[in-house]
Amino acid sequence: MTALLRPAIVLFLILTGITGFVYPFVVTGIAQAIFPTQAGGSLIVRDGKPVGSSLIGQSFSDPKHFWGRPSATSPQPYNGLASGGSNLGPLNPALTDGIKSRIEALQAADPANKAPIPVDLVTASASGLDPDISLAAAYYQAPRVARARGLAPDAVRSMIAAHARGKLLGILGEPRVNVLDLNLALDALK
Amino acid sequence: MTPASLALIAIYLIVMLALVKPMGLYIANVMEGRPIWPLRVGAGVERLIYRLSGVDAGAEMGWRRYTIALLLFNAVGALAVYALQRLQLWLPLNPQQFANVSPDSSFNTAVSFITNTNWQGYSGESTMSYLTQMAGLAVQNFLSAATGIVVVVALIRGFARHTAQSIGNFWTDITRSTLYILLPLSTLLALLLVGQGVVQNLSAYKDVPTVETLAYQQPKVDSAGNPVKDAAGNPVLENMTTQKQTLPMGPMASQEAIKELGTNGGGFLNANSAHPYENPTPLSNFLELLAIILIPSSLTYTFGRMVGDTRQGWAVLAAMCILFVALVALAVHSEQLGNPRVAALGVDQTASILQPGGNMEGKEARFGIGASALFATIATGTSTGAVNSMHDSYTPLGGFVPLFDMQLGEVVFGGVGTGLYSMLIFAIIGVFIAGLMIGRTPEYLGKKIEAFEIKMSSIAILVMPFIVLLGTAIAVSVADGKAGVANPAAHGFSEILYAFTSAGNNNGSAFGGLSANTPFYNTALGLVMWLGRYWPIAAVLAIAGSLAAKKRVPVTAGTMLTYGPTFIILLIGTVLLVGALTFVPALALGPVVEHLVMWGG
């Protein structure tokens, strides 16, 4: 037993040194050298200042912006310090109540739009920080954004198409658009 | 199921199968200490490590000594992870000044990470310092995975050797599997993930301005940090506005890589692989999916190679693949079907070229349905328990799949090492049943299966259902257990059943609505994780020792073949029979009832 104690402790310390310090420090060093932007959080920089991260969604509720996925983080949506989903079960009345109020908010902002609402626009994401919405969810919002900005709907739709991302090799990923990218591009129009 | 989901699953299986032989061969060479170039390069470092640790690399161990070494090594790890959490405020690399973690949560997390469970009662980005993550949690990601590898390798040696007194040297096994298998793969994967956008730095968290000003309400707290309540006892809310967002930073990619490769699953961040900083793109998701399955599937080839008949390994892999395809098909189908109560509100859940459709609650737009349900199936069939979508919000049958996947004993590829040794135990039970039916002494791989092996196999298989069902029964009977439930009716029961199933199988995924960071759950789940890991491991190593000591029985015309379709069906049947018999009553109270309610009324 005591003959096993020394290797148990010393070997543990050595392997901790290798996998707990050398490994992450080496990976950090190489990552900073070859992928500095990604390793630093994929920040979007405008005029030398960060204006967000291209990977992390933000909360939008202004009619002239595209709205992102509902976020279940607390106390505020898209809280970067409290990622997570709603964890509401499929039969929980709170789930359907939440969806109803989101439908009402979307319809109140664009009463003329009678199209069925794409599911990802009224359901909370897993991370609460989802940067994307489906293309369906973007096109659904195009008339509202166009009217709020005094743009032609086709101009807004072509902006969506320009920012759209499809399936990699036709298989990986879903048709989607990054909401922050799209809104920053719209704000830069004027 | 959409054609795109089918194509994703098909390509995933093809890439996995293409990697099985080269990877499995490499693992066999490493664990047999053959003079391949990585071992020659590392020989000097290895010798130095052994000299410092006082290890005699040439000394073989019997199964008892091997087991004690393993338990001691893991116990030292548990103490280290516990200490790091309890002391993190006073230690370096804590830029956010996170407080020391509570004793019950630290205990739970320490057990969770040494047992390869990686259940997360805590929220990573607001609890753990970089030092705790790197030097505590990520280290155990390596060592608990290496522990799984050495146990299965010891068992394989039990089959491969005859009239032997030893099953290997624990110290050299754990060192080699860490240095030559896990470390190089993790380094490569970590860098690929950073390229996709996974964060890797040691900076403090970053504040960025947001485009819109956000107004929200939060519970008011007094100067002592207690919530303020009004006369009626309701919490008082205060109106807040913010124009900034705080982005978590840290050494995430290095931890993410070993988290998947070691089938650990403990995320750097609370949302785990659903978080865009842990899993930013569909390609990073595919890489993580592959990393999860790489070693568990390849070990079947390692097994065949080391026992001198690769057909034996392919047969086991075939059984795993068949179970996997059935489970993943059910998960994807159920999630794609969506939620009828959401459809009733006029929401469009139909898949099209513009959207994934289906049940998108708790899923990310970039992964949609196929990549989410595939991830859920593979992370619970292995002991990973990472999530890229929230299982609690799955449809009843969609959520049944991860639950049942674990309850089968995590053999649908299974954890690193644990999956294969669990499957080999099922194979022993299978040949025993078949032997009874045809009236012959059962044999497996030239070894007679006798009373001792069957006793130990029964222990290894029955411990898990015993602690899972007992734990669930206690939790649903006491106030502290019921207090954690977030969803009403049958779903609430599923949350508790899922928690104990996950802990007993060392998985670590959750129906996350359950508030499990309480002294009751931290303690109960901690004990279940501990027993669910080391009790079966001791039984498996005992079998390894017993088999190694046996003579090899020559193959005759009457020997039952343990490859080919008959054996594969026998193996699948054994897994399903044991899993179904023990868990169907509990499942009937949870997901089955919920499914009937959802579609029936």
Side-chain angles (χ1 to χ4, degrees):
Chain A
M1 184 85 176
T2 39
L4 294 173
L5 208 54
R6 175 177 163 204
I9 294 170
V10 180
L11 187 58
F12 173 78
L13 291 176
I14 294 172
L15 291 179
T16 297
I18 295 172
T19 60
F21 292 95
V22 177
Y23 162 68
F25 287 144
V26 167
V27 170
T28 305
I30 301 175
Q32 298 284 350
I34 56 177
F35 301 118
T37 311
Q38 291 94 322
S42 305
L43 300 186
I44 305 171
V45 179
R46 292 281 148 88
D47 306 323
K49 289 196 184 112
V51 295
S53 163
S54 64
L55 292 178
I56 305 291
Q58 294 184 5
S59 181
F60 293 101
S61 54
D62 189 324
K64 70 186 201 309
H65 284 135
F66 282 91
W67 301 352
R69 302 285 308 277
S71 163
T73 63
S74 70
Q76 80 271 31
Y78 288 91
N79 180 358
L81 295 175
S83 61
S86 72
N87 286 314
L88 294 175
L91 299 186
N92 194 329
L95 174 71
T96 28
D97 290 349
I99 292 175
K100 262 184 231 161
S101 69
R102 292 164 194 152
I103 292 174
E104 281 160 16
L106 283 162
Q107 289 177 339
D110 189 7
N113 192 345
K114 300 295 182 204
I117 299 175
V119 62
D120 63 305
L121 201 50
V122 290
T123 46
S125 64
S127 63
L129 301 169
D130 195 340
D132 303 315
I133 51 175
S134 69
L135 286 182
Y139 285 121
Y140 174 85
Q141 299 183 67
R144 183 196 73 221
V145 173
R147 191 168 344 97
R149 290 181 175 267
L151 292 168
D154 278 346
V156 174
R157 273 194 275 270
S158 62
M159 283 196 75
I160 296 173
H163 285 83
R165 291 210 234 161
K167 288 176 180 290
L168 185 64
L169 308 173
I171 295 163
L172 297 181
E174 296 294 336
R176 65 196 187 281
V177 61
N178 185 302
V179 181
L180 180 59
D181 275 354
L182 189 55
N183 284 333
L184 286 174
L186 280 168
D187 286 349
L189 272 182
K190 44 189 115 100
Chain B
M1 191 179 307
T2 62
S5 298
L6 264 181
L8 173 67
I9 294 166
I11 294 216
Y12 179 58
L13 281 175
I14 290 167
V15 177
M16 180 271 280
L17 288 171
L19 293 170
V20 163
K21 187 175 170 184
M23 190 66 215
L25 185 60
Y26 177 70
I27 297 175
N29 285 335
V30 168
M31 299 315 290
E32 289 180 328
R34 293 188 190 280
I36 52 174
W37 71 262
L39 267 70
R40 290 204 304 271
V41 171
V45 177
E46 244 192 278
R47 266 198 306 276
L48 179 66
I49 291 175
Y50 298 147
R51 197 164 66 231
L52 291 172
S53 326
V55 168
D56 176 1
E60 289 264 320
M61 297 176 176
W63 76 265
R64 285 190 183 83
R65 195 171 172 80
Y66 200 97
T67 309
I68 293 168
L70 182 150
L71 293 176
L72 268 179
F73 185 74
N74 278 256
V76 173
L79 290 175
V81 178
Y82 183 82
L84 277 170
Q85 293 178 84
R86 300 286 294 135
L87 304 172
Q88 67 175 8
L89 181 59
W90 304 306
L91 297 172
L93 289 169
N94 186 0
Q96 300 309 117
Q97 294 290 301
F98 288 134
N100 296 327
V101 185
S102 74
D104 59 293
S105 178
S106 299
F107 162 74
N108 182 283
T109 303
V111 174
S112 166
F113 276 74
I114 63 161
T115 56
N116 201 264
T117 312
N118 311 66
W119 172 268
Q120 292 176 280
Y122 59 89
S123 167
E125 61 264 52
S126 56
T127 312
M128 299 295 181
S129 76
Y130 294 166
L131 185 74
T132 308
Q133 299 259 25
M134 266 170 35
L137 306 183
V139 167
Q140 287 307 318
N141 284 356
F142 279 97
L143 301 182
S144 65
T147 299
I149 294 177
V150 308
V151 172
V152 78
V153 166
L155 179 61
I156 296 170
R157 287 187 188 126
F159 284 111
R161 294 176 177 185
H162 57 93
T163 50
Q165 295 308 309
S166 63
I167 55 171
N169 179 321
F170 175 77
W171 309 121
T172 57
D173 283 349
I174 200 103
T175 306
R176 285 182 184 152
S177 49
T178 305
L179 294 186
Y180 302 120
I181 300 171
L182 299 172
L183 199 55
L185 285 173
S186 298
T187 308
L188 177 67
L189 180 63
L191 292 172
L192 289 173
L193 289 176
V194 178
Q196 289 299 303
V198 180
V199 171
Q200 180 72 24
N201 60 46
L202 296 166
S203 324
Y205 291 5
K206 287 180 187 162
D207 284 341
V208 291
T210 52
V211 173
E212 289 187 10
T213 303
L214 175 61
Y216 64 98
Q217 292 187 312
Q218 71 175 26
K220 196 170 182 172
V221 291
D222 60 24
S223 53
N226 298 315
V228 180
K229 297 203 168 154
D230 63 16
N234 296 318
V236 176
L237 297 175
E238 55 183 342
N239 291 317
M240 309 284 292
T241 58
T242 180
Q243 246 187 316
K244 73 176 173 71
Q245 190 180 35
T246 304
L247 303 176
M249 294 286 135
M252 293 181 203
S254 52
Q255 188 156 334
E256 187 70 23
I258 185 60
K259 164 191 142 187
E260 316 294 1
L261 281 163
T263 61
N264 294 283
F268 196 94
L269 305 161
N270 189 50
N272 208 291
S273 288
H275 198 295
Y277 273 168
E278 283 200 25
N279 194 359
T281 66
L283 183 58
S284 70
N285 191 59
F286 192 75
L287 290 171
E288 291 181 14
L289 281 165
L290 269 185
I292 290 173
I293 206 173
L294 177 65
I295 297 175
S297 60
S298 302
L299 278 169
T300 60
Y301 189 86
T302 309
F303 161 66
R305 176 88 185 178
M306 287 176 73
V307 299
D309 182 359
T310 49
R311 288 171 303 187
Q312 306 287 348
W314 291 117
V316 170
L317 185 64
M320 292 173 170
C321 287
I322 291 167
L323 284 166
F324 168 70
V325 168
L327 286 163
V328 75
L330 178 60
V332 175
H333 173 75
S334 306
E335 291 309 293
Q336 192 67 62
L337 218 52
N339 184 340
R341 302 211 172 169
V342 175
L345 301 174
V347 173
D348 182 7
Q349 297 186 100
T350 318
S352 72
I353 52 162
L354 295 179
Q355 68 160 1
N359 173 25
M360 283 298 287
E361 179 73 22
K363 294 191 181 66
E364 296 282 293
R366 61 195 179 285
F367 305 139
I369 301 298
S372 297
L374 171 59
F375 201 107
T377 309
I378 203 65
T380 49
T382 62
S383 76
T384 314
V387 295
N388 76 352
S389 56
M390 295 301 150
H391 298 180
D392 213 349
S393 296
Y394 270 42
T395 60
L397 288 188
F400 161 88
V401 168
L403 192 51
F404 193 58
D405 219 355
M406 294 186 283
Q407 289 170 342
L408 291 178
E410 282 175 358
V411 292
V412 185
F413 303 107
V416 167
T418 59
L420 182 59
Y421 72 63
S422 305
M423 199 57 149
L424 293 178
I425 297 298
F426 276 113
I428 290 176
I429 297 285
V431 296
F432 172 68
I433 294 170
L436 288 179
M437 289 193 285
I438 57 174
R440 275 185 61 96
T441 308
E443 294 164 15
Y444 188 42
L445 303 167
K447 293 295 171 74
K448 278 206 169 78
I449 304 300
E450 294 170 297
F452 182 76
E453 288 78 36
I454 293 301
K455 271 186 218 158
M456 289 297 143
S457 297
S458 306
I459 290 176
I461 284 183
L462 293 177
V463 164
M464 184 275 286
F466 174 67
I467 55 180
V468 167
L469 292 173
L470 188 70
T472 306
I474 292 173
V476 297
S477 314
V478 300
D480 281 344
K482 285 182 279 192
V485 167
N487 282 288
H491 200 84
F493 172 76
S494 298
E495 286 181 341
I496 295 179
L497 178 64
Y498 197 106
F500 282 92
T501 302
S502 175
N505 285 286
N506 301 132
N507 184 269
S509 67
F511 271 12
L514 186 76
S515 303
N517 196 1
T518 61
F520 172 78
Y521 277 111
N522 279 332
T523 311
L525 295 172
L527 289 173
V528 169
M529 288 187 271
W530 186 281
L531 294 172
R533 173 78 165 179
Y534 297 107
W535 205 343
I537 279 184
V540 169
L541 289 173
I543 294 172
S546 161
L547 290 175
K550 287 176 195 263
K551 287 202 280 283
R552 184 167 292 147
V553 188
V555 178
T556 65
T559 305
M560 196 185 84
L561 294 182
T562 49
Y563 52 87
T566 314
F567 176 74
I568 293 169
I569 292 168
L570 175 71
L571 186 54
I572 293 173
T574 310
V575 169
L576 287 178
L577 198 67
V578 173
L581 284 180
T582 40
F583 285 108
V584 159
L587 289 167
L589 296 174
V592 175
V593 165
E594 196 184 16
H595 175 74
L596 295 175
V597 171
M598 184 165 97
W599 291 97

